[in-house]
């Protein structure tokens, strides 16, 4: 694809994270346009609710180009009733209701690909890299079989299929030989797709939501705030104090549950979330949700480095008057920008103003912090500000990849300056479809060969037919399994993937 098409780096969102970047690829909008800043939405009482597909501000690519076949795209659960076929991806709690559209597609997958899995539980492998790599390989095999089935059995103008396996692998295994073997396997899958599109004179885009690179140190962002007096831990009095003195904390409880064979999925299936929350509030630990005293904190960090000022007009226990919020924010910028690694004396964080990144959403993070190369931001309340990594071998980098091939694509062309929001408008322009005025990205005209129709034709911008999309989404319930357990099941999956504490 380097030789026969256009290629270049693809700048991710800030932060470079799946729940921001994939919706930006699918909608052409920045996070303040589609509204997703993390896998879970921060509520006024500091709790979280799982972000579902009907909360992502569209329209999506599959709303604009139909019929469409969509598979394994993160943040698409529950499946929307699109014109075409959808198999939801990351954030899907089970292969039950909401897993596919139409619903009978799930039955076909169960019959044709019974081994198909939505994802892997990182914690289950406990450092066994060889076994983990084998499991990731099996995951790719089942994804390939799903892809082949969809290519053979569905008709589409737009095919949108995601392989998340390289992300899972690289987070835990940063070994060149293992990674190259994995990408060779993905190349075999890509060869199948290229043959399919070449026979039909279609255009093929290959993109990633972010890049990857090794990490060796972790920045405990909430500990930084605590040491500066901007965040308080929950009191050690009462039940928490008694349990703490007895050596009962979240880590010991998790270890006990593991020893008796109770994993996260079993826990959330057996106990109502309200009971889990109540127990978690009483058992001391380092969780950024349960172990912070918000009534005594001016700021806190959630998700992938999202920093929030604890404003009284935004949060129910807010301590910062709105008139003082900018002053607190300036103090936070100075604090994070001045943080250094005690082992090297070097800065460890990049700091971004949320008003600059997300100007159109008042509920966006106030700041975003990302680790400088080699450092990873985490939210757990550790004892140290900067410490060595344990399980994680690599983390996200902002530079992803973009490839394109097709009858109108310029061969051997370097594409510079592309961002994840540019993918959708470029795709739409390539096939002669209008571009919604809500799109933030631009058409990457260097992708197209000189003299080709897309290179010569002006872009056509239109107002999106929002009512059509909204009518379809109104048919989708966030708790698509019907028993109120979807959020809890997704919470367990996120823990298994290592995305939450």
């Amino acid at each position: 694809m380097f030789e026969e098409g256009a290629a270049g780096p693809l700048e991710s969102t800030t932060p470079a994270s799946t729940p921001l970047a994939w919706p930006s690829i699918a909608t052409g909008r920045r996070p303040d346009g589609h509204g997703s800043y993390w896998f879970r939405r921060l509520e006024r009482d500091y709790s979280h609710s799982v972000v579902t597909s009907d909360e992502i501000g569209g329209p999506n690519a599959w709303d604009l180009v139909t019929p469409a076949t969509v598979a394994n795209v993160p943040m698409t659960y529950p499946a929307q009733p699109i014109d075409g076929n959808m198999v939801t991806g990351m954030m899907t709690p089970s292969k039950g209701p909401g897993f596919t559209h139409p619903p009978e597609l799930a039955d076909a997958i169960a019959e044709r690909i019974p081994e198909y899995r939505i994802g892997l539980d990182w914690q289950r492998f406990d450092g066994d890299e060889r076994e983990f790599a084998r499991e990731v390989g099996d995951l790719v095999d089942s994804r390939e079989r799903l892809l082949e089935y969809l290519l053979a059995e569905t008709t589409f103008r737009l095919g949108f299929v995601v392989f998340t396996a390289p992300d899972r692998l690289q987070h835990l295994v940063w070994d060149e030989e293992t990674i190259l073997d994995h990408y060779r396997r993905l190349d075999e899958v890509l060869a199948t797709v290229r043959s399919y599109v070449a026979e039909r004179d279609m255009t093929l885009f290959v993109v990633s939501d972010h890049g990857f690179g090794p990490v060796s140190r972790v920045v405990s962002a909430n500990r930084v705030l605590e040491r500066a007096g901007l965040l308080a831990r929950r009191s050690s009095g009462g039940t928490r104090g008694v349990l703490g003195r007895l050596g009962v904390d979240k880590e010991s409880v998790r270890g006990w549950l593991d020893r008796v064979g109770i994993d996260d999925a079993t826990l959330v299936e057996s106990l109502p979330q309200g009971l889990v929350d109540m127990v978690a509030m009483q058992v001391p630990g380092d969780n950024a949700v349960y172990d912070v005293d918000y009534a005594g904190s001016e700021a806190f960090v959630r998700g992938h480095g999202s920093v929030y000022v604890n404003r009284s007009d935004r949060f129910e226990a807010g301590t910062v008057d709105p008139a003082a919020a900018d002053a607190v924010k300036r103090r936070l910028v100075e604090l994070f920008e001045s943080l250094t690694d005690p082992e090297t004396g070097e800065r460890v964080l990049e700091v971004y103003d949320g008003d600059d990144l997300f100007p159109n959403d008042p509920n966006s993070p106030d700041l975003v912090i990302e680790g400088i190369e080699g450092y990873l931001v985490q939210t757990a309340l550790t004892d140290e500000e900067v410490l060595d990594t344990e399980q994680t071998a690599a983390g996200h980098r902002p530079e992803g990849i973009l490839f394109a091939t097709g009858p109108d694509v310029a061969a051997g062309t370097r594409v510079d300056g592309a961002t994840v929001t540019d993918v959708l408008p470029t795709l739409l322009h390539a096939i002669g479809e209008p571009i919604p005025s809500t799109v933030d990205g631009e058409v990457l005209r260097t992708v197209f060969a000189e003299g080709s129709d897309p290179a010569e034709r002006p872009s056509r911008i239109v107002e999106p037919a929002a009512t059509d999309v909204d009518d379809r989404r109104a048919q989708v319930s966030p708790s698509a399994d019907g028993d109120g357990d979807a959020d809890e099941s997704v919470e367990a999956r996120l823990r298994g993937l290592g995305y939450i504490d």
Side-chain angles (χ1 to χ4, degrees):
M1 294 192 75
F2 265 122
E3 295 170 354
E4 298 178 16
L10 187 69
E11 186 76 12
S12 186
T13 51
T14 303
S17 181
T18 294
L20 291 81
W22 274 117
S24 286
I25 291 171
T27 66
R29 306 180 77 178
R30 296 188 306 265
D32 57 337
H34 59 65
S36 178
Y37 301 99
W38 186 233
F39 297 108
R40 303 182 293 175
R41 190 178 307 282
L42 178 61
E43 304 293 352
R44 180 173 171 78
D45 64 355
Y46 308 98
S47 66
H48 285 115
S49 61
V50 173
V51 176
T52 54
S53 60
D54 57 316
E55 295 175 281
I56 304 294
N60 289 288
W62 45 87
D63 299 313
L64 301 169
V65 184
T66 60
T69 290
V70 184
N72 202 41
V73 181
M75 317 301 287
T76 52
Y77 175 83
Q80 301 166 24
I82 65 170
D83 178 3
N85 298 271
M86 176 178 285
V87 181
T88 60
M90 185 178 182
M91 298 297 289
T92 303
S94 71
K95 292 186 283 186
F99 171 49
T100 66
H101 172 80
E104 54 267 26
L105 178 56
D107 298 329
I109 293 172
E111 179 181 348
R112 301 286 191 94
I113 320 168
E115 73 280 12
Y116 185 84
R117 286 182 291 176
I118 298 165
L120 292 177
D121 184 343
W122 287 4
Q123 298 173 342
R124 185 165 64 84
F125 297 94
D126 193 25
D128 188 343
E129 293 185 0
R130 187 180 299 274
E131 177 62 20
F132 180 67
R134 278 198 295 269
E135 289 282 334
V136 170
D138 291 343
L139 190 67
V140 172
D141 292 344
S142 66
R143 293 280 190 274
E144 182 181 35
R145 283 191 279 278
L146 174 64
L147 173 66
E148 291 171 344
Y149 171 77
L150 293 173
L151 291 178
E153 300 295 332
T154 67
T155 300
F156 56 88
R157 288 187 68 215
L158 170 72
F160 198 127
V161 180
V162 173
F163 279 71
T164 54
D167 181 284
R168 307 294 173 266
L169 178 67
Q170 291 170 149
H171 269 303
L172 295 189
V173 181
W174 193 256
D175 171 73
E176 183 174 359
E177 181 179 352
T178 302
I179 293 172
L180 288 177
D181 283 345
H182 183 71
Y183 276 97
R184 292 186 187 101
R185 177 71 183 93
L186 293 176
D187 263 345
E188 294 174 358
V189 178
L190 185 56
T192 299
V193 177
R194 288 203 67 199
S195 295
Y196 181 94
V197 300
E199 291 172 2
R200 294 162 177 80
D201 287 332
M202 301 173 79
T203 300
L204 172 64
F205 290 89
V206 178
V207 300
S208 71
D209 57 335
H210 52 69
F212 253 92
V215 295
S216 59
R217 300 276 278 170
V218 168
V219 180
S220 180
N222 280 315
R223 174 56 179 157
V224 175
L225 294 176
E226 181 185 30
R227 182 165 287 182
L230 293 165
L231 178 143
R233 296 195 194 212
R234 195 171 290 277
S235 168
S236 59
T239 304
R240 289 175 67 91
V242 172
L243 293 174
R245 288 192 293 274
L246 292 174
V248 178
D249 58 16
K250 289 184 175 66
E251 184 176 354
S252 65
V253 170
R254 183 175 292 280
W256 179 80
L257 291 171
D258 288 342
R259 286 193 295 276
V260 297
I262 300 176
D263 58 14
D264 288 325
T266 302
L267 189 66
V268 298
E269 288 169 3
S270 305
L271 299 175
Q273 184 64 31
L275 179 58
V276 175
D277 288 342
M278 183 178 69
V279 173
M281 293 289 283
Q282 298 301 324
V283 177
D286 61 1
N287 189 282
V289 177
Y290 299 113
D291 296 301
V292 173
D293 175 14
Y294 294 100
S297 301
E298 294 183 55
F300 57 93
V301 183
R302 294 283 182 91
H304 256 164
S306 293
V307 184
Y308 295 89
V309 175
N310 193 19
R311 292 170 54 131
S312 59
D313 61 342
R314 180 169 184 181
F315 299 105
E316 66 177 24
T319 60
V320 178
D321 187 280
D326 285 343
V328 173
K329 193 164 145 180
R330 287 192 296 271
R331 184 180 174 191
L332 291 169
V333 170
E334 181 179 353
L335 174 67
F336 287 123
E337 286 186 339
S338 63
L339 182 67
T340 60
D341 188 333
E343 292 191 355
T344 65
E346 300 292 326
R347 277 187 58 196
V348 296
L349 294 174
E350 296 285 358
V351 184
Y352 304 90
D353 191 319
D355 291 335
D356 294 335
L357 295 175
F358 318 119
N360 299 314
D361 184 1
N363 291 318
S364 63
D366 293 293
L367 298 173
V368 170
I369 54 175
E370 287 195 298
I372 287 172
E373 193 168 301
Y375 291 85
L376 184 70
V377 173
Q378 72 171 26
T379 59
L381 277 163
T382 57
D383 292 329
E384 300 175 66
E385 294 179 338
V386 185
L387 57 157
D388 290 335
T389 59
E390 294 181 358
Q391 193 176 26
T392 304
H396 299 174
R397 297 280 173 81
E399 302 85 12
I401 56 97
L402 165 72
F403 295 103
T405 57
D408 295 320
V409 174
T413 297
R414 165 83 177 194
V415 179
D416 291 309
T419 73
V420 287
T421 59
D422 298 329
V423 175
L424 178 65
T426 304
L427 180 154
L428 293 173
H429 184 73
I431 60 176
E433 289 291 334
I435 300 167
S437 59
T438 53
V439 164
D440 294 310
E442 299 179 354
V443 174
L444 300 169
R445 291 191 170 272
T446 54
V447 164
F448 303 111
E450 186 176 347
S452 67
D453 177 63
E456 302 298 326
R457 174 173 23 91
S459 302
R460 184 157 58 99
I461 311 298
V462 298
E463 292 298 317
T467 53
D468 295 339
V469 177
D470 292 343
D471 287 345
R472 288 202 297 273
R473 290 184 176 183
Q475 303 173 38
V476 183
S477 166
S479 295
D481 58 358
D483 60 9
D485 292 333
D487 278 13
E488 288 88 339
S489 298
V490 173
E491 296 275 344
R493 186 173 300 283
L494 289 174
R495 281 192 289 272
L497 292 172
Y499 279 105
I500 63 173
D501 302 324

